[in-house]
Amino acid sequence: MTDQYVLDLEEVDETRVAVVGGKGAHLGGLSRIEGIRVPDGFCVTTDAFRRAMAEVPSLDDRLDELARLDPDDRDAIRTLSAHMRRIIEEIAVPGDVTAAITRALGRFGEQGAYAVRSSATAEDLPTASFAGQQDTYLNVLGPTAVLQHISRCWASMFTERAVVYRQRNDIDHRTVDMAVVVQRMVFPDASGILFTADPVTGNRKVATVDAGFGLGEALVSGLVNPDVFTVRDGEVVTRTIAAKERAVHALPAGGTREVAVDVRQRERPALTDEQAVRLVGLGRRIEAHFGCPQDIEWCLVDDGFRIVQSRPITTLFPLPVLADGDSDRHVYVSVGHQQMMTDAMKPLGFSMWQLTAMVPMVEAGGRLFVDVTRRLASPASREGLLEVLGKGDPLVRDALETVLGQDGFVPSIPDVVPGGPPSAGAPPAPIETDPAVVTELIERSRTSVAALERDIRAKEGPALFEFLLEAFEEHKRVLGDPLSMQAIMAGMDATWWLNDKLWQWLGEKNAADTLTLSAPDNITSEMGLALLDVADVIRPLPEVLAFLRDAEQLEDATFLDELAKTAGGGEARDAIEAFLDRYGMRCVGEIDITRPRWRERPTTLVPVILDNVRNFGPGAAGRRFEQGRRKALQMEQEVLSRLRTLPDGDWKADETRRMIDRVRTFIGYREYPKYGIVSRYFVYKQALLAEAERLVRDNVLPEKEDAFYLTFQELHEAARSNRVDERLIQRRKEAFRSYRALNPPRVLTSDGEALTGEYRRDDVPAGALTGLPVSAGTVEGRARVVLDIAEADLEAGDILVTVFTDPSWSPLFVGIAGLVTEVGGLMTHGAVIAREYGLPAVVGVDRATRLIRDGQRIRVHGTDGYVELLP
């Protein structure tokens, strides 16, 4: 029976979220799946909710007040949300709504027992589960009690946990409505939760069943430990049977209570293996219907299963989409962990990187991955791949070795036929140690960027995209320049040689860290020093300093013009402009073209400039560079002197000097190709934003930044057709919001298993955090946990702790004493610049930003690769 305020479950499906909320929509969809039994019932619609809320005229003001609260101000949220709940619970359910609910209860049995359950419109969605955020009431008896509990469900829209959840997920309170599901109560022998994918490893081939006696509230509330069954390929592969001392049962007069389980029954399995397998079979049907892994609440009644809820498992990392008909297993390695940008990327960002990368990449969860299955499968290429990746990040190697240890996951294939093309990653031929090589490579890159800037100016519309596709080929040609690859490998090989040989011959750990201090031609370290020079210009200008400290008044669009109006502001502006001319294309997460560049948001630099003014004196850049150069020279002289006293000492000293010359010639160039890429990216971005502005003028796009939620190919099509699917853009925005909350794994398999790897070391003190040593030395100081560079507030001697650093973070390096990151490898940017500046650094420290408290004293062992937490 159709009604504005009440719809039977059989009348709705997952397309009706706006009317019956996420839970109601999913239950309606479940009831339509063959073989799935859902308790009968109906939904009180969002129309009924809005009708009732219209009786609360003060609600709008309270919503305005709620929106202004900081999500971290829990006391204010608790007080206001409690007040809103009281108001809603005290209003009478409008008469027409009451009549519709009473009629529905008459159809299903007026005096029956019911479960009354909240169903918000932003609940049980693929991108936001809202699990446990609103209320459920069991064994509700009679129409009066049902109506009372419907009001309570409406009020649970404003539980403290629901309010905070919405605020943290950027969901406007006004965009969410509340429906209520009313179902015939089920009195089960056993109940629990089924995950159709392993919620810990992410493996989609494995299902887990948690089971206990009585109602499922005992498990959900943590009252008892459940029995746990792991099912794979139609078979229980592991089971853990718990001692279930308590259960929750329904009371004859309504409501529920905890009861003690008969001591003779406590260790009896709540399910048989056959029942667990049958339940997983039902779960696979539900998963296939909804198109993604599900978190399912179930009840067992007389050997038959009832499904009382199903929601997406939103914590799983998404999988790359396989080509039609591809049933092979695949192993993927994270690109973000190599590029020091593990944040989610918007579609234009990842599609541009795919089009300009040297190897094919696939997208999952807004991140990019490389499929390494074939290289792992071939014995000839496997060890080389593991060695190269392991040198950069031992955790990646460990994760890949874990996959290789799983019988049959990676098939073995014959080696590449001799005489065939060399495998990707084969070492380039060596080159002579000649600084002119680096000079030539830098000039080649500058010439290529200048040609791009010149040739792109007249391009617009579809012609722009055709031009860019050609420009991407030039991009890859420059990036894959054999001479460039030779120079990069020359510096890296010399670094590894020095570390290996000087440890073997002299017992010197990570000697190259000191020998590479203040190496020439390092564009990234030069950037950090250049911002010290900007601080030198600004330091003696009091009105400029006052202007910069008034951060709330600074707007990017007018910042430099307003700065010039202050006394001395013209000089300050010229210094910042000169810096932006050389480095303005950089930003945090710069491999994502959609990220705002420093040239677009120059105020981003203000906190770092002010820190430099406060923490350093005039001429600091020159002094720091010279100190590093002298320290490297002193180390070289000491090492060579000690080597000459050894057997074959003259030969060892001569070889070491040759390698020192080689590393100092080439290691700085390691940073330049990325600078060239980002320089080109800024040119691409400016052209694409101009095209997006045209689409806005033509009413194709609502806002130019909406173009970021289209892939390059889709934006190209929009320029051709002057049409865009705005619903697609909205879905992409919602997906991006959910992806931002996910932590990408270093290695991902097509089964969904997400692996981060482990350090298998026994030389780290108890309680210390293990990582990869990338820059020698030991330092003790105050940890500053910084997740956003714009919020960095550092003092001299602080140790920076963050998730990852890319070149845009290097201006902070001049003022810190040490570095700890969650992501990184021996030759990634943060490691290179830490060595360049002589900062003890440990990278690849799992969960460092959560295990180290901001302000805590720590000791960083950059030589041995661990971090001590001090009292």
Side-chain angles (χ1 to χ4, degrees):
M1 175 181 174
T2 301
D3 187 289
Q4 179 184 3
Y5 298 134
V6 169
L7 291 172
D8 288 354
L9 280 176
E10 65 186 25
E11 297 179 89
V12 301
D13 60 21
E14 53 271 29
T15 66
R16 306 296 298 278
V17 171
V19 179
V20 296
K23 188 180 284 100
H26 271 72
L27 286 168
L30 284 165
S31 68
R32 296 164 182 256
I33 304 173
E34 184 178 354
I36 303 301
R37 300 175 67 183
V38 175
D40 293 336
F42 59 90
C43 298
V44 182
T45 68
T46 53
D47 279 342
F49 172 73
R50 288 190 291 270
R51 170 78 176 83
M53 294 309 101
E55 303 291 319
V56 191
S58 63
L59 195 60
D60 267 355
D61 292 339
R62 300 289 81 78
L63 284 171
D64 289 341
E65 189 177 345
L66 197 61
R68 290 193 293 269
L69 293 179
D70 187 315
D72 293 324
D73 190 349
R74 300 300 289 268
D75 289 339
I77 290 174
R78 186 178 302 115
T79 300
L80 183 55
S81 59
H83 175 65
M84 296 173 76
R85 290 196 306 277
R86 282 195 302 273
I87 292 174
I88 295 170
E89 288 180 8
E90 289 169 2
I91 65 168
V93 178
D96 47 354
V97 176
T98 297
I101 293 169
T102 303
R103 286 195 299 271
L105 289 172
R107 292 196 306 276
F108 290 101
E110 193 171 90
Q111 298 307 315
Y114 290 90
V116 182
R117 313 170 71 195
S118 306
S119 180
T121 54
E123 182 177 8
D124 293 351
L125 306 180
T127 57
S129 76
F130 268 79
Q133 302 305 314
Q134 280 95 28
D135 290 346
T136 288
Y137 301 95
L138 301 180
N139 199 29
V140 179
L141 304 179
T144 300
V146 169
L147 287 167
Q148 180 185 35
H149 285 85
I150 287 171
S151 290
R152 289 181 177 175
C153 284
W154 287 338
S156 73
M157 172 91 158
F158 298 104
T159 61
E160 179 187 349
R161 61 185 181 273
V163 168
V164 171
Y165 190 97
R166 286 194 294 271
Q167 289 182 312
R168 293 200 185 283
N169 284 274
D170 297 323
I171 298 173
D172 186 341
H173 302 296
R174 294 177 185 277
T175 64
V176 181
D177 289 322
M178 179 69 78
V180 180
V181 176
V182 181
Q183 286 177 283
R184 290 299 302 264
M185 186 67 191
V186 174
F187 304 99
D189 304 312
S191 58
I193 301 168
L194 161 64
F195 295 98
T196 64
D198 189 316
V200 177
T201 67
N203 195 323
R204 270 62 162 185
K205 303 293 186 182
V206 174
T208 62
V209 179
D210 290 3
F213 297 131
L215 293 167
E217 269 46 44
L219 268 62
V220 173
S221 65
L223 180 65
V224 297
N225 291 323
D227 297 342
V228 180
F229 300 82
T230 304
V231 179
R232 179 166 190 153
D233 297 328
E235 180 183 357
V236 173
V237 292
T238 66
R239 74 181 61 74
T240 302
I241 307 304
K244 301 170 285 294
E245 298 181 357
R246 311 288 293 175
V248 174
H249 287 291
L251 292 170
T256 62
R257 73 171 179 181
E258 295 177 22
V259 298
V261 176
D262 187 309
V263 68
R264 294 166 295 182
Q265 299 294 316
R266 290 176 180 175
E267 296 190 18
R268 178 175 67 83
L271 294 178
T272 65
D273 282 7
E274 184 275 331
Q275 288 170 330
V277 170
R278 180 152 46 95
L279 176 61
V280 170
L282 296 176
R284 294 297 180 209
R285 290 190 193 181
I286 295 170
E287 179 183 69
H289 176 82
F290 289 116
C292 62
Q294 297 287 300
D295 166 358
I296 299 166
E297 294 182 23
W298 57 268
C299 296
L300 178 66
V301 183
D302 299 328
D303 200 39
F305 288 102
R306 308 290 190 275
I307 305 300
V308 295
Q309 186 163 332
S310 184
R311 63 169 71 91
I313 308 175
T314 58
T315 56
L316 297 178
F317 198 84
L319 296 180
V321 176
L322 296 176
D324 289 342
D326 184 353
S327 59
D328 294 340
R329 288 171 163 173
H330 296 265
V331 183
Y332 307 99
V333 171
S334 165
V335 172
H337 285 81
Q338 312 299 314
Q339 290 293 333
M340 297 302 95
M341 213 295 277
T342 54
D343 292 348
M345 299 169 72
K346 294 172 184 170
L348 185 61
F350 66 68
S351 65
M352 289 284 286
W353 194 260
Q354 287 172 308
L355 288 166
T356 54
M358 300 300 293
V359 295
M361 296 178 180
V362 294
E363 179 270 337
R367 279 78 169 190
L368 291 171
F369 295 84
V370 173
D371 188 339
V372 296
T373 315
R374 286 190 61 81
R375 294 182 65 191
L376 285 177
S378 167
S381 59
R382 180 187 308 142
E383 189 52 43
L385 176 70
L386 292 174
E387 182 176 357
V388 169
L389 292 176
K391 278 183 175 178
D393 185 343
L395 294 178
V396 172
R397 176 169 187 150
D398 183 78
L400 289 173
E401 288 176 336
T402 300
V403 176
L404 288 167
Q406 298 172 359
D407 288 344
F409 191 91
V410 178
S412 184
I413 62 174
D415 292 340
V416 176
V417 178
S423 63
I431 55 175
E432 292 300 316
T433 303
D434 183 357
V437 171
V438 174
T439 302
E440 179 185 346
L441 286 168
I442 291 173
E443 186 54 36
R444 286 185 190 180
S445 178
R446 287 175 177 166
T447 300
S448 177
V449 173
L452 173 66
E453 290 174 331
R454 180 190 66 240
D455 296 342
I456 204 171
R457 286 175 190 151
K459 303 296 189 295
E460 62 179 21
L464 168 65
F465 292 87
E466 298 299 332
F467 171 82
L468 284 173
L469 288 172
E470 295 177 7
F472 296 162
E473 294 307 309
E474 167 66 4
H475 181 121
K476 288 189 281 189
R477 187 197 66 76
V478 173
L479 190 58
D481 184 338
L483 186 63
S484 178
M485 298 301 296
Q486 288 174 307
I488 291 170
M489 288 307 302
M492 293 170 66
D493 286 340
T495 298
W496 293 328
W497 189 96
L498 287 166
N499 282 336
D500 289 345
K501 294 301 184 183
L502 294 182
W503 168 246
Q504 176 186 339
W505 294 335
L506 299 177
E508 284 281 350
K509 278 189 177 181
N510 303 325
D513 295 359
T514 303
L515 293 168
T516 54
L517 288 172
S518 298
D521 299 313
N522 189 316
I523 189 72
T524 305
S525 64
E526 289 170 2
M527 178 172 65
L529 298 177
L531 210 54
L532 283 176
D533 290 337
V534 173
D536 283 355
V537 173
I538 289 173
R539 188 177 291 105
L541 303 173
E543 290 196 24
V544 169
L545 287 170
F547 174 81
L548 295 180
R549 286 170 182 145
D550 193 7
E552 293 182 359
Q553 304 302 315
L554 304 183
E555 294 186 10
D556 290 295
T558 59
F559 166 59
L560 292 172
D561 289 338
E562 293 299 317
L563 172 62
K565 296 175 184 177
T566 64
E571 186 181 359
R573 181 186 62 181
D574 290 347
I576 295 173
E577 283 278 14
F579 180 87
L580 292 173
D581 286 344
R582 186 155 172 76
Y583 304 109
M585 75 295 290
R586 311 217 82 149
C587 67
V588 173
E590 60 193 11
I591 71 169
D592 182 352
I593 197 172
T594 71
R595 292 289 190 100
R597 311 284 137 173
W598 287 342
R599 171 56 79 180
E600 296 168 313
R601 288 192 183 170
T603 58
T604 304
L605 297 170
V606 170
V608 187
I609 293 171
L610 291 175
D611 282 348
N612 287 347
V613 168
R614 183 176 69 248
N615 294 329
F616 297 95
R623 286 197 304 276
R624 286 181 66 93
F625 187 84
E626 183 59 21
Q627 286 167 0
R629 192 189 67 79
R630 288 180 179 175
K631 192 173 181 181
L633 180 60
Q634 181 181 352
M635 176 74 163
E636 177 181 357
Q637 292 169 344
E638 289 176 0
V639 163
L640 296 178
S641 176
R642 291 169 62 192
L643 286 172
R644 294 190 194 283
T645 67
L646 301 178
D648 296 324
D650 287 343
W651 173 82
K652 289 174 180 176
D654 289 345
E655 281 298 291
T656 299
R657 178 190 287 116
R658 188 173 70 83
M659 284 299 179
I660 292 172
D661 289 345
R662 195 163 178 79
V663 79
R664 291 191 67 81
T665 296
F666 293 116
I667 200 63
Y669 177 72
R670 166 73 179 78
E671 292 291 297
Y672 203 89
K674 182 74 169 289
Y675 176 79
I677 291 172
V678 177
S679 296
R680 296 181 70 88
Y681 261 42
F682 191 40
V683 179
Y684 304 153
K685 181 179 185 180
Q686 289 171 305
L688 289 171
L689 278 178
E691 186 62 22
E693 288 171 348
R694 181 189 70 79
L695 293 172
V696 171
R697 290 194 301 271
D698 291 347
N699 296 316
V700 178
L701 286 176
E703 298 178 0
K704 67 178 181 180
E705 287 79 10
D706 287 343
F708 296 160
Y709 294 94
L710 300 173
T711 65
F712 178 85
Q713 297 86 343
E714 291 164 347
L715 190 55
H716 187 181
E717 178 57 31
R720 272 199 298 255
S721 66
N722 257 22
R723 289 197 303 273
V724 165
D725 183 351
E726 290 189 29
R727 293 170 300 177
L728 173 65
I729 291 175
Q730 187 56 41
R731 289 197 301 273
R732 294 271 177 81
K733 288 180 177 180
E734 292 169 0
F736 178 71
R737 184 173 63 230
S738 70
Y739 294 159
R740 289 172 65 186
L742 299 176
N743 291 317
R746 283 175 167 82
V747 171
L748 182 67
T749 74
S750 52
D751 281 359
E753 193 168 6
L755 300 105
T756 57
E758 295 180 22
Y759 292 105
R760 304 184 189 276
R761 295 172 53 185
D762 56 10
D763 61 341
V764 174
L769 307 180
T770 308
L772 178 66
V774 296
S775 185
T778 300
V779 66
E780 180 179 321
R782 179 180 67 162
R784 297 312 308 262
V785 179
V786 180
L787 302 180
D788 183 346
I789 192 172
E791 297 176 2
D793 182 15
L794 300 167
E795 296 181 3
D798 283 346
I799 297 170
L800 174 62
V801 180
T802 190
V803 178
F804 63 81
T805 63
D806 59 13
S808 69
W809 287 73
S810 58
L812 296 184
F813 284 24
V814 299
I816 59 176
L819 174 69
V820 179
T821 69
E822 295 181 356
V823 177
L826 188 63
M827 297 307 296
T828 50
H829 302 281
V832 171
I833 304 307
R835 290 193 292 272
E836 181 76 14
Y837 287 162
L839 302 174
V842 179
V843 302
V845 180
D846 187 38
R847 297 176 296 146
T849 59
R850 284 165 280 179
L851 297 175
I852 299 172
R853 300 189 314 275
D854 185 47
Q856 181 177 14
R857 290 195 68 78
I858 61 174
R859 185 178 297 125
V860 177
H861 294 262
T863 305
D864 295 310
Y866 63 90
V867 180
E868 288 184 280
L869 309 181
L870 303 178

